Amino acid sequence: SQTIHQWPATLVQPVGSPLSLECTVEGTSNPNLYWYRQAAGRGLQLLFYSVGIGQISSEVPQNLSASRPQDRQFILSSKKLLLSDSGFYLCAWYPGPTNTEAFFGQGTRLTVV
Amino acid sequence: ILNVEQSPQSLHVQEGDSTNFTCSFPSSNFYALHWYRWETAKSPEALFVMTLNGDEKKKGRISATLNTKEGYSYLYIKGSQPEDSATYLCAFNYGGSQGNLIFGKGTKLSVKP
């Protein structure tokens, strides 16, 4: 069966420090992968999606970047965190076709101080 | 900009009450409508994936309906229990198997015993 791993679960980082969140998927190949964020009082916002190695699409301009170095690995990064980067980050795998659900990692609670 | 609206934003009910939430989405380029249940610090869990106009799905005390022509879906919970307390998310797929899921902000349900 397919599983999705995301780490770390919680993170407290100072403003200006770098960030690296990792997501890996097991049990499938060439998955469509997504990074979402929920900021305080807001809904889930799509940040990046990737349909293959080295292929990244950004939905919103921001202080973050994403990379897909391997087929089943998706990384969210920042060179210098801002206070506004605080939130709950979720990695997701959407297998398709249209009648299937998305699967999520456990999430990372990021607090920038 | 595609927008998915959910109402109400939050809901407080007594144990045993029945309740319903609304999800509104664009009526064009429809591929699928998802409902997820999201508990704090956990991954969202899929409830339903609906693809056809007029679809009605049921899982235990929870059911959902879909109207793609007018762009709305209802989620019903019959006889709410404290364990139903969670945020209920709907998500709209506008791009098929490689499409993205646009999430609403969710409805936060609190059920008091």
Side-chain angles (χ1 to χ4, degrees), chain B residues 30 50-56 66-72:
Chain B
F30 176 87
M50 308 171 78
T51 57
L52 298 175
N53 184 44
D55 245 357
E56 292 188 23
L66 178 67
N67 184 323
T68 61
K69 292 183 178 179
E70 296 183 39
Y72 65 84

Side-chain angles (χ1 to χ4, degrees), chain A residues 15-108:
Chain A
V15 169
S17 64
L19 173 74
S20 181
L21 303 181
E22 188 163 345
C23 172
T24 59
V25 180
E26 294 179 359
T28 186
S29 59
N30 198 30
N32 292 342
L33 297 174
Y34 303 83
W35 278 111
Y36 289 91
R37 175 176 65 193
Q38 185 192 37
R42 306 188 69 176
L44 271 181
Q45 180 186 32
L46 177 63
L47 301 176
F48 300 97
Y49 71 93
S50 172
V51 298
I53 295 174
Q55 300 180 63
I56 307 294
S57 295
S58 174
E59 288 296 300
V60 292
Q62 59 212 321
N63 184 42
L64 303 168
S65 61
S67 61
R68 181 91 174 256
Q70 299 180 39
D71 181 43
R72 286 173 282 182
Q73 184 184 33
F74 200 24
I75 297 173
L76 184 70
S77 305
S78 174
K79 291 182 179 178
K80 290 185 178 182
L81 283 168
L82 305 172
L83 288 174
S84 57
D85 292 323
S86 294
F88 190 73
Y89 290 80
L90 276 169
C91 177
W93 165 46
Y94 186 41
T98 56
N99 61 347
T100 57
E101 65 199 68
F103 297 90
F104 294 85
Q106 289 294 312
T108 298

Side-chain angles (χ1 to χ4, degrees), chain B residues 3 12 18 23 25 28 35 49 51 69 72 79 84 88 91-92 105 107:
Chain B
N3 207 25
H12 298 265
S18 293
C23 174
F25 53 87
S28 58
W35 281 102
V49 178
T51 57
K69 292 183 178 179
Y72 65 84
D84 295 329
Y88 291 83
F92 170 66
K105 292 185 179 181
T107 293

